[in-house]
Amino acid sequence: MDALAKQFSTLGLSVKPIAEVKHEAATTPATWKSSLESAQGVPSNFELLKTLVFKFKQAGPKSAPADGSVAPVALVLVARESTDTSLASTALAKKLGLKDMRLAGADLLQDVFGLDKDSLSPFALSPSSFPKTITVLDSNLGSTSTTNDAPLAVRASSSSASVIVSASDIVSYLRALEASATGVKVTEVDFVQLKGESASADPGKAPASKEKQKDKSLKEEAKIEGAKQIAIGVKKEVDFATWYTNVLLKADMLDYYSVSGCYILKPWSYNIWEAIQEWFNFRIKLMGVENSYFPMFVSQKVLEREKKHLEGFSPEVAWVTRAGNSDLEEPIAIRPTSETAMYPYYAKWIKSHRDLPLKLNQWNSVVRWEFKNPQPFLRTREFLWQEGHTAHLTKAEADTEVREILELYKQVYEDLLAVPVIPGVKSEKEKFAGADYTTTVEGFVPTSGRGIQGATSHCLGQNFSKMFNIVVEDPDDNSEGQDKRKIYAYQNSWGLSTRAIGVMVMVHGDNQGLVLPPRVASLQAVLVPCGLTVNTSDAEKKRVLDECDRIAKTLVKEGIKAKADLRDRTPGWKFNDWEQKGVPLRLELGPGDMAKNQVIAVRRDNGVKAPVSLDGLPGSVHNLLNTIHKDMYERAKAAYDSHIVVCTKWEEVVPALDSKNVFVMPWCEEEACEDEVKERSGQSSEPQDARAPSAGAKSLCIPFDQSKWPAIEPGKTKCPQCGKDAKRWTMFGRSY
Amino acid sequence: MDALAKQFSTLGLSVKPIAEVKHEAATTPATWKSSLESAQGVPSNFELLKTLVFKFKQAGPKSAPADGSVAPVALVLVARESTDTSLASTALAKKLGLKDMRLAGADLLQDVFGLDKDSLSPFALSPSSFPKTITVLDSNLGSTSTTNDAPLAVRASSSSASVIVSASDIVSYLRALEASATGVKVTEVDFVQLKGESASADPGKAPASKEKQKDKSLKEEAKIEGAKQIAIGVKKEVDFATWYTNVLLKADMLDYYSVSGCYILKPWSYNIWEAIQEWFNFRIKLMGVENSYFPMFVSQKVLEREKKHLEGFSPEVAWVTRAGNSDLEEPIAIRPTSETAMYPYYAKWIKSHRDLPLKLNQWNSVVRWEFKNPQPFLRTREFLWQEGHTAHLTKAEADTEVREILELYKQVYEDLLAVPVIPGVKSEKEKFAGADYTTTVEGFVPTSGRGIQGATSHCLGQNFSKMFNIVVEDPDDNSEGQDKRKIYAYQNSWGLSTRAIGVMVMVHGDNQGLVLPPRVASLQAVLVPCGLTVNTSDAEKKRVLDECDRIAKTLVKEGIKAKADLRDRTPGWKFNDWEQKGVPLRLELGPGDMAKNQVIAVRRDNGVKAPVSLDGLPGSVHNLLNTIHKDMYERAKAAYDSHIVVCTKWEEVVPALDSKNVFVMPWCEEEACEDEVKERSGQSSEPQDARAPSAGAKSLCIPFDQSKWPAIEPGKTKCPQCGKDAKRWTMFGRSY
């Protein structure tokens, strides 16, 4: 186009665009991209360039023009579309000392550039407008970028015209502008690094405190600019519930279903469940637990046999009353849990101490027809779980197993899902109906500031065995016949559900979508061919694709879940696709990389990009995946830890909760006091999200590890709520 | 006892019994055994000796005494209790040329021996009675037996007195009797070999034709003599339905449940399902199929969307109408299969040819509330299965997958379960409602003479995609926009259920209980310590037990599912326990075996017993397990093959069916003709078991392999039923 050539020549440059395209007006990246994909002459591996303009206030004297030059009125951000620039208005603003930075409105754009947002490009900057702006260049485009030489689509001062140029054309243009304006420089920013710094500096806190402002502009900011089609659409920190749903949908984990409260688990999430199953099965089988399957139906009589136990479930039981066109003689329940369905048979099977221990587990679905708002994975009417049910001769053996299973649950969360949990025991009020005691691993969702029960392992004692007559003769009693002492079996039950997947998504996901912990990812590393342009020969292209395929196969042979993405799409499209789906590691390979015998490894969890030699690649990838797991866990652990507020005065409790924390306090462990905690903390001013659970705090667990807090002095340390003697440090919080 | 010593001395022998015991009168092996176990002085590793007396008619001149000696009036069978002698009245009788052989009544016993059945022993034979009998000795006791030197409990002419003697005492006694009677010999019989010969010679036919006699004495024979407590209780050949139930219960595979038509799958059967899952998952994942989970509920509207498809399931659909105390606004179905539940989402997800193929599978339970008599595994109201649902761009691709999946199903049956199946295509009448065509693997249960559908793989063509609008634009059509040609997806669905486990039990089980094919056995080899007596020192005993444990661990390390049975029970009790449960290989180890650096391997499938060196034991066991699989498959294959009758005239059909066969005939493939086949064959005189399915024959499949039968000559070969031109050989039969 002549206009472009003219602009370049003004700066002493020449440009020869790869292509010049007219298309339908495109107002989103997705429509722009698809317009270009169907246009003639556009190379298949092009990427979009985004040009965002922000307004701001200067925060301090640091950035004020001391030399009398024009104060900048706008910030222009030039970046690859695939670069996550969501931290521009927060971390970047902070870095540059700018305040209240937000996207510029149409007026400002018109004033400075004479263009609307869908017509903007770096070429809209002229020697006259450039000094009035702070220009930020994605370092992934700039001088240090070595990784991607795909051509870029740039708006040609119109929403319906584009030029395809090389990255170096853009950089040259900006450098020439720098040269034309004394002292005004382009700022190169590494957004990946920025994100990493931001996350490690103050995880979760900044958004939390920001949200409290309830600033309308922030609400708007929740919608990530232009991202509707290709990213998550809203920010995690701002509209968490919508973000969560969007992540699940965009990552292809789940779909909504025509029966309310039921969801389709697509392979991308079901795979995670399979990974958990495989891991857990192996370990419980070593403990002598065997898998089995009990029917989903429970007769009314059996279900209602244990009234007290049933009370908790009764309002949620689904009843089958009809088969074909016939009404059943009596309604039949679908199991909400299987204690009463299984234990009559335990009584039948356990006739002697030789039949103990009996250790059965089943992987099944249960139905609890909740009438509260459902939420995928966390609260659904049908869900998948495992339920273990064991019977033992001695209490000691049962107690030991309860803790062994809880340890496995902890490992599922921490070693597989990279989600930190705190093991402990439930209060009397919160324990399983019919249990002697309930142990639990408690997780935490920093974004909502709520605790979440991860999995529970109950010691049922002899409560059910006495009811169902699960009894044997004492093998140590030598008396004869009828006089022999009877021992009622000591029973445990324990369960872990698909809820774990929801917790994992909430804890690790970011504004690009899902972030998968490597050990449960069904795809751990994806090879993406890069750097192929229209000028690349077919032979060269084939060489790159074949090498991607070969590398993927090598990795698979070494036990890494890898594949090459050889789809006929641009690298940027693929990057975005796999980022949304949370694949832990992207391995980019272009002709340049092949020459250097390397791939570029890009971590999903923190965006860090580094070349990795092809020599010993499987070992390097193994190490990287382990590092990713460790880093994800440690970040989440730091977030959890920093959100546990120690309260020794009641006045500290509600502010702690309102700042999205849970809290620990030395507690009297009395049920009436727990009711008071809930009542008093529920009166706080936090506005309610329709999908949020109740606002009152309940006890989450009494952590086994009490050593983190000052020792409780009997008779001296008091419960901050009621003033009675405290027994143990107990964690309370709002929860799911 | 003096009496015994006297008998021995009459024959010039002396005997010193290991023990002489008085006990409560015992009328079954189980009570006899337990009486002895609690008696003092009885070594722990003793076995019972059984002495059975049969009456018979002489069949031909062969066995008639040509030399003027006394004609034998009874057959005395002396065997280890653990030896399967159930073929005595059939295969053994045939071998010896005897007719109508059956257990002798009390009168005959009194006449010949002056004793009742619970007082008999070989020592009841005297030089005067011996020539009047045919005496058969279990070769496992006789001169060729090298494998088991456990002492034997023998009745001391009373039901309440026993002596414990060595096997050699018994053999010496019989040999001395031989010496006292000119020309009368003891016949040694290898019952294991007999069983093998019988199975391969004429599998299932003898019992079938015998059963037709409906002889009362045979019905009595169904109850295996004295076996109530320790074995299956009834004979497979006589009361198959009871036998089947008993095997499942005694093998601890299953229990009945309080909701009719639903059963508990205990670990011993669920393990088999897990083995099938693991095998099948691996292979379908290689084909690009992914696992997922769809909700169990289907809304009424969705379920009823495809009326025709629904017709088959509608009378069996279970409806949830109530949750807690609230009636639902509209009833919700529990899926009987998932086509209509899944395909609306396929329509949503499949937007472009790039989304094809879509290949999902799920492992789930479905509910079909049948009102017919339920039968464990074969017809149950809830059952476990996998259902695969795939969508393809081309018919060719769909067709290929249908057959690939069918091949996997064939392999599940043949390579895992050792059950032969015949792959073929269903007739139009028998195909899945809504399918273009249905392929199937058809199994056969020789004992009932019925075919059984093993698993089906359906090509749905475009029938469902047109109904649910699963459609993409033709990628090969270059026209633009609205004109682009649409392609409705080609769909398949395919399923395999826990029914496979029932077929496996029916095909392989015997009168000792379950026989597990090695590749799905969760325990492949069990080590049983043997040869420990009261005289064995504790150190020696520990050495044997430790060695059993060590060997088991060595086997486990080499990938064999093995364990040592170190329970405080007699070897005989353990033998029986593991035989009932069908463990493929028993490895016996006693002090003598340790000295010889060997174990005694006993095959469950045919009882063959042989020493195996401890050097290279894992390799030997691997080989043995493979041989067992092969032999089991080949026996079942021979049985299936011998029960397929080729019919070219209608007159041959009903006799074939009544002799427990299926049949093939050249068939016209017309639906009206199939109705006629069913009608006419259903009029046969076969009496109906209450649990038996309908007596009319239906088409089972049109086998893919037509080469086994004479080529059909177009226009010449006629359908025997209707006389029209035959198209293909088709297998018909009564079925489950």
PDB file of all heavy atoms in Angstrom, chain B residues 519-543:
ATOM      1  N   ARG B 519      -5.431 -65.568  32.034  1.00  0.00           N
ATOM      2  CA  ARG B 519      -5.101 -64.163  31.745  1.00  0.00           C
ATOM      3  C   ARG B 519      -6.010 -63.162  32.448  1.00  0.00           C
ATOM      4  O   ARG B 519      -5.701 -61.974  32.484  1.00  0.00           O
ATOM      5  CB  ARG B 519      -5.105 -63.917  30.233  1.00  0.00           C
ATOM      6  CG  ARG B 519      -3.930 -64.623  29.583  1.00  0.00           C
ATOM      7  CD  ARG B 519      -3.961 -64.573  28.081  1.00  0.00           C
ATOM      8  NE  ARG B 519      -3.038 -65.554  27.542  1.00  0.00           N
ATOM      9  CZ  ARG B 519      -3.046 -65.979  26.303  1.00  0.00           C
ATOM     10  NH1 ARG B 519      -3.946 -65.503  25.439  1.00  0.00           N
ATOM     11  NH2 ARG B 519      -2.180 -66.874  25.892  1.00  0.00           N
ATOM     12  N   VAL B 520      -7.142 -63.598  32.944  1.00  0.00           N
ATOM     13  CA  VAL B 520      -7.990 -62.673  33.709  1.00  0.00           C
ATOM     14  C   VAL B 520      -8.047 -63.059  35.177  1.00  0.00           C
ATOM     15  O   VAL B 520      -8.766 -62.419  35.955  1.00  0.00           O
ATOM     16  CB  VAL B 520      -9.423 -62.593  33.146  1.00  0.00           C
ATOM     17  CG1 VAL B 520      -9.426 -61.990  31.754  1.00  0.00           C
ATOM     18  CG2 VAL B 520     -10.109 -63.949  33.159  1.00  0.00           C
ATOM     19  N   ALA B 521      -7.315 -64.106  35.552  1.00  0.00           N
ATOM     20  CA  ALA B 521      -7.351 -64.535  36.957  1.00  0.00           C
ATOM     21  C   ALA B 521      -6.575 -63.544  37.808  1.00  0.00           C
ATOM     22  O   ALA B 521      -5.432 -63.231  37.505  1.00  0.00           O
ATOM     23  CB  ALA B 521      -6.750 -65.929  37.087  1.00  0.00           C
ATOM     24  N   SER B 522      -7.195 -63.057  38.867  1.00  0.00           N
ATOM     25  CA  SER B 522      -6.468 -62.127  39.728  1.00  0.00           C
ATOM     26  C   SER B 522      -5.485 -62.889  40.612  1.00  0.00           C
ATOM     27  O   SER B 522      -4.590 -62.312  41.197  1.00  0.00           O
ATOM     28  CB  SER B 522      -7.424 -61.297  40.577  1.00  0.00           C
ATOM     29  OG  SER B 522      -8.279 -62.128  41.315  1.00  0.00           O
ATOM     30  N   LEU B 523      -5.655 -64.197  40.687  1.00  0.00           N
ATOM     31  CA  LEU B 523      -4.653 -65.060  41.313  1.00  0.00           C
ATOM     32  C   LEU B 523      -4.405 -66.194  40.334  1.00  0.00           C
ATOM     33  O   LEU B 523      -5.305 -66.986  40.046  1.00  0.00           O
ATOM     34  CB  LEU B 523      -5.163 -65.588  42.661  1.00  0.00           C
ATOM     35  CG  LEU B 523      -4.194 -66.472  43.445  1.00  0.00           C
ATOM     36  CD1 LEU B 523      -2.906 -65.716  43.790  1.00  0.00           C
ATOM     37  CD2 LEU B 523      -4.850 -66.976  44.727  1.00  0.00           C
ATOM     38  N   GLN B 524      -3.187 -66.265  39.805  1.00  0.00           N
ATOM     39  CA  GLN B 524      -2.903 -67.264  38.771  1.00  0.00           C
ATOM     40  C   GLN B 524      -2.304 -68.534  39.357  1.00  0.00           C
ATOM     41  O   GLN B 524      -2.503 -69.620  38.834  1.00  0.00           O
ATOM     42  CB  GLN B 524      -1.951 -66.664  37.721  1.00  0.00           C
ATOM     43  CG  GLN B 524      -2.572 -65.485  36.981  1.00  0.00           C
ATOM     44  CD  GLN B 524      -1.579 -64.775  36.079  1.00  0.00           C
ATOM     45  OE1 GLN B 524      -0.458 -64.465  36.497  1.00  0.00           O
ATOM     46  NE2 GLN B 524      -1.982 -64.498  34.852  1.00  0.00           N
ATOM     47  N   ALA B 525      -1.561 -68.388  40.418  1.00  0.00           N
ATOM     48  CA  ALA B 525      -0.908 -69.554  41.015  1.00  0.00           C
ATOM     49  C   ALA B 525      -0.904 -69.393  42.522  1.00  0.00           C
ATOM     50  O   ALA B 525      -0.538 -68.334  43.030  1.00  0.00           O
ATOM     51  CB  ALA B 525       0.522 -69.682  40.493  1.00  0.00           C
ATOM     52  N   VAL B 526      -1.339 -70.436  43.220  1.00  0.00           N
ATOM     53  CA  VAL B 526      -1.359 -70.372  44.677  1.00  0.00           C
ATOM     54  C   VAL B 526      -0.418 -71.441  45.229  1.00  0.00           C
ATOM     55  O   VAL B 526      -0.444 -72.601  44.819  1.00  0.00           O
ATOM     56  CB  VAL B 526      -2.799 -70.517  45.219  1.00  0.00           C
ATOM     57  CG1 VAL B 526      -3.412 -71.866  44.868  1.00  0.00           C
ATOM     58  CG2 VAL B 526      -2.840 -70.274  46.716  1.00  0.00           C
ATOM     59  N   LEU B 527       0.462 -71.022  46.120  1.00  0.00           N
ATOM     60  CA  LEU B 527       1.394 -71.940  46.768  1.00  0.00           C
ATOM     61  C   LEU B 527       0.720 -72.523  47.999  1.00  0.00           C
ATOM     62  O   LEU B 527       0.258 -71.769  48.860  1.00  0.00           O
ATOM     63  CB  LEU B 527       2.632 -71.177  47.227  1.00  0.00           C
ATOM     64  CG  LEU B 527       3.845 -71.037  46.314  1.00  0.00           C
ATOM     65  CD1 LEU B 527       4.558 -72.383  46.167  1.00  0.00           C
ATOM     66  CD2 LEU B 527       3.448 -70.472  44.972  1.00  0.00           C
ATOM     67  N   VAL B 528       0.678 -73.855  48.101  1.00  0.00           N
ATOM     68  CA  VAL B 528       0.082 -74.478  49.279  1.00  0.00           C
ATOM     69  C   VAL B 528       1.126 -75.374  49.949  1.00  0.00           C
ATOM     70  O   VAL B 528       1.629 -76.312  49.324  1.00  0.00           O
ATOM     71  CB  VAL B 528      -1.169 -75.308  48.895  1.00  0.00           C
ATOM     72  CG1 VAL B 528      -1.760 -75.974  50.127  1.00  0.00           C
ATOM     73  CG2 VAL B 528      -2.208 -74.430  48.219  1.00  0.00           C
ATOM     74  N   PRO B 529       1.458 -75.077  51.187  1.00  0.00           N
ATOM     75  CA  PRO B 529       2.390 -75.938  51.913  1.00  0.00           C
ATOM     76  C   PRO B 529       1.728 -77.281  52.207  1.00  0.00           C
ATOM     77  O   PRO B 529       0.573 -77.325  52.610  1.00  0.00           O
ATOM     78  CB  PRO B 529       2.670 -75.169  53.214  1.00  0.00           C
ATOM     79  CG  PRO B 529       1.597 -74.145  53.320  1.00  0.00           C
ATOM     80  CD  PRO B 529       1.001 -73.926  51.976  1.00  0.00           C
ATOM     81  N   CYS B 530       2.454 -78.368  51.968  1.00  0.00           N
ATOM     82  CA  CYS B 530       1.883 -79.707  52.121  1.00  0.00           C
ATOM     83  C   CYS B 530       2.837 -80.581  52.908  1.00  0.00           C
ATOM     84  O   CYS B 530       3.968 -80.189  53.206  1.00  0.00           O
ATOM     85  CB  CYS B 530       1.660 -80.345  50.746  1.00  0.00           C
ATOM     86  SG  CYS B 530       0.367 -79.533  49.811  1.00  0.00           S
ATOM     87  N   GLY B 531       2.358 -81.767  53.216  1.00  0.00           N
ATOM     88  CA  GLY B 531       3.222 -82.787  53.797  1.00  0.00           C
ATOM     89  C   GLY B 531       3.703 -82.464  55.202  1.00  0.00           C
ATOM     90  O   GLY B 531       4.720 -82.985  55.654  1.00  0.00           O
ATOM     91  N   LEU B 532       2.997 -81.581  55.898  1.00  0.00           N
ATOM     92  CA  LEU B 532       3.371 -81.281  57.280  1.00  0.00           C
ATOM     93  C   LEU B 532       2.490 -82.113  58.197  1.00  0.00           C
ATOM     94  O   LEU B 532       1.266 -82.070  58.100  1.00  0.00           O
ATOM     95  CB  LEU B 532       3.189 -79.785  57.559  1.00  0.00           C
ATOM     96  CG  LEU B 532       3.947 -78.861  56.590  1.00  0.00           C
ATOM     97  CD1 LEU B 532       3.592 -77.409  56.852  1.00  0.00           C
ATOM     98  CD2 LEU B 532       5.445 -79.088  56.709  1.00  0.00           C
ATOM     99  N   THR B 533       3.073 -82.876  59.071  1.00  0.00           N
ATOM    100  CA  THR B 533       2.307 -83.755  59.959  1.00  0.00           C
ATOM    101  C   THR B 533       2.572 -83.348  61.402  1.00  0.00           C
ATOM    102  O   THR B 533       3.339 -82.410  61.667  1.00  0.00           O
ATOM    103  CB  THR B 533       2.726 -85.223  59.781  1.00  0.00           C
ATOM    104  OG1 THR B 533       4.063 -85.366  60.287  1.00  0.00           O
ATOM    105  CG2 THR B 533       2.705 -85.632  58.324  1.00  0.00           C
ATOM    106  N   VAL B 534       1.929 -84.068  62.318  1.00  0.00           N
ATOM    107  CA  VAL B 534       2.201 -83.805  63.736  1.00  0.00           C
ATOM    108  C   VAL B 534       3.663 -84.038  64.062  1.00  0.00           C
ATOM    109  O   VAL B 534       4.199 -83.484  65.016  1.00  0.00           O
ATOM    110  CB  VAL B 534       1.354 -84.705  64.670  1.00  0.00           C
ATOM    111  CG1 VAL B 534      -0.020 -84.108  64.864  1.00  0.00           C
ATOM    112  CG2 VAL B 534       1.278 -86.120  64.151  1.00  0.00           C
ATOM    113  N   ASN B 535       4.286 -84.875  63.259  1.00  0.00           N
ATOM    114  CA  ASN B 535       5.683 -85.196  63.537  1.00  0.00           C
ATOM    115  C   ASN B 535       6.663 -84.170  62.976  1.00  0.00           C
ATOM    116  O   ASN B 535       7.858 -84.239  63.234  1.00  0.00           O
ATOM    117  CB  ASN B 535       6.027 -86.576  62.968  1.00  0.00           C
ATOM    118  CG  ASN B 535       5.147 -87.648  63.582  1.00  0.00           C
ATOM    119  OD1 ASN B 535       4.815 -87.576  64.768  1.00  0.00           O
ATOM    120  ND2 ASN B 535       4.739 -88.626  62.775  1.00  0.00           N
ATOM    121  N   THR B 536       6.122 -83.240  62.158  1.00  0.00           N
ATOM    122  CA  THR B 536       7.006 -82.230  61.583  1.00  0.00           C
ATOM    123  C   THR B 536       7.431 -81.246  62.666  1.00  0.00           C
ATOM    124  O   THR B 536       6.591 -80.768  63.432  1.00  0.00           O
ATOM    125  CB  THR B 536       6.280 -81.464  60.457  1.00  0.00           C
ATOM    126  OG1 THR B 536       5.673 -82.407  59.586  1.00  0.00           O
ATOM    127  CG2 THR B 536       7.231 -80.582  59.687  1.00  0.00           C
ATOM    128  N   SER B 537       8.712 -80.954  62.704  1.00  0.00           N
ATOM    129  CA  SER B 537       9.191 -79.997  63.719  1.00  0.00           C
ATOM    130  C   SER B 537       8.754 -78.587  63.336  1.00  0.00           C
ATOM    131  O   SER B 537       8.485 -78.296  62.162  1.00  0.00           O
ATOM    132  CB  SER B 537      10.718 -80.054  63.804  1.00  0.00           C
ATOM    133  OG  SER B 537      11.264 -79.509  62.621  1.00  0.00           O
ATOM    134  N   ASP B 538       8.687 -77.713  64.328  1.00  0.00           N
ATOM    135  CA  ASP B 538       8.305 -76.319  64.056  1.00  0.00           C
ATOM    136  C   ASP B 538       9.278 -75.680  63.077  1.00  0.00           C
ATOM    137  O   ASP B 538       8.892 -74.901  62.202  1.00  0.00           O
ATOM    138  CB  ASP B 538       8.287 -75.516  65.365  1.00  0.00           C
ATOM    139  CG  ASP B 538       7.041 -75.844  66.189  1.00  0.00           C
ATOM    140  OD1 ASP B 538       6.173 -76.585  65.668  1.00  0.00           O
ATOM    141  OD2 ASP B 538       6.946 -75.369  67.338  1.00  0.00           O
ATOM    142  N   ALA B 539      10.550 -76.021  63.230  1.00  0.00           N
ATOM    143  CA  ALA B 539      11.567 -75.426  62.361  1.00  0.00           C
ATOM    144  C   ALA B 539      11.342 -75.867  60.918  1.00  0.00           C
ATOM    145  O   ALA B 539      11.390 -75.056  59.984  1.00  0.00           O
ATOM    146  CB  ALA B 539      12.965 -75.843  62.827  1.00  0.00           C
ATOM    147  N   GLU B 540      11.043 -77.140  60.756  1.00  0.00           N
ATOM    148  CA  GLU B 540      10.792 -77.686  59.423  1.00  0.00           C
ATOM    149  C   GLU B 540       9.552 -77.016  58.817  1.00  0.00           C
ATOM    150  O   GLU B 540       9.529 -76.625  57.661  1.00  0.00           O
ATOM    151  CB  GLU B 540      10.581 -79.207  59.543  1.00  0.00           C
ATOM    152  CG  GLU B 540      10.238 -79.924  58.240  1.00  0.00           C
ATOM    153  CD  GLU B 540      11.446 -80.135  57.357  1.00  0.00           C
ATOM    154  OE1 GLU B 540      12.503 -79.530  57.641  1.00  0.00           O
ATOM    155  OE2 GLU B 540      11.342 -80.897  56.378  1.00  0.00           O
ATOM    156  N   LYS B 541       8.519 -76.895  59.652  1.00  0.00           N
ATOM    157  CA  LYS B 541       7.276 -76.284  59.200  1.00  0.00           C
ATOM    158  C   LYS B 541       7.547 -74.840  58.741  1.00  0.00           C
ATOM    159  O   LYS B 541       7.122 -74.428  57.667  1.00  0.00           O
ATOM    160  CB  LYS B 541       6.264 -76.295  60.336  1.00  0.00           C
ATOM    161  CG  LYS B 541       4.873 -75.886  59.916  1.00  0.00           C
ATOM    162  CD  LYS B 541       3.856 -76.011  61.046  1.00  0.00           C
ATOM    163  CE  LYS B 541       2.569 -75.337  60.632  1.00  0.00           C
ATOM    164  NZ  LYS B 541       1.588 -75.212  61.703  1.00  0.00           N
ATOM    165  N   LYS B 542       8.291 -74.121  59.557  1.00  0.00           N
ATOM    166  CA  LYS B 542       8.601 -72.729  59.217  1.00  0.00           C
ATOM    167  C   LYS B 542       9.380 -72.664  57.901  1.00  0.00           C
ATOM    168  O   LYS B 542       9.149 -71.791  57.070  1.00  0.00           O
ATOM    169  CB  LYS B 542       9.429 -72.110  60.348  1.00  0.00           C
ATOM    170  CG  LYS B 542       9.725 -70.628  60.129  1.00  0.00           C
ATOM    171  CD  LYS B 542      10.366 -69.985  61.343  1.00  0.00           C
ATOM    172  CE  LYS B 542      10.600 -68.502  61.129  1.00  0.00           C
ATOM    173  NZ  LYS B 542      11.255 -68.140  59.868  1.00  0.00           N
ATOM    174  N   ARG B 543      10.288 -73.636  57.739  1.00  0.00           N
ATOM    175  CA  ARG B 543      11.095 -73.662  56.532  1.00  0.00           C
ATOM    176  C   ARG B 543      10.196 -73.820  55.291  1.00  0.00           C
ATOM    177  O   ARG B 543      10.385 -73.160  54.273  1.00  0.00           O
ATOM    178  CB  ARG B 543      12.086 -74.838  56.603  1.00  0.00           C
ATOM    179  CG  ARG B 543      13.440 -74.586  55.980  1.00  0.00           C
ATOM    180  CD  ARG B 543      14.433 -75.666  56.403  1.00  0.00           C
ATOM    181  NE  ARG B 543      14.033 -77.002  55.960  1.00  0.00           N
ATOM    182  CZ  ARG B 543      14.388 -77.557  54.779  1.00  0.00           C
ATOM    183  NH1 ARG B 543      15.158 -76.888  53.962  1.00  0.00           N
ATOM    184  NH2 ARG B 543      13.974 -78.755  54.443  1.00  0.00           N
TER     185      ARG B 543
END
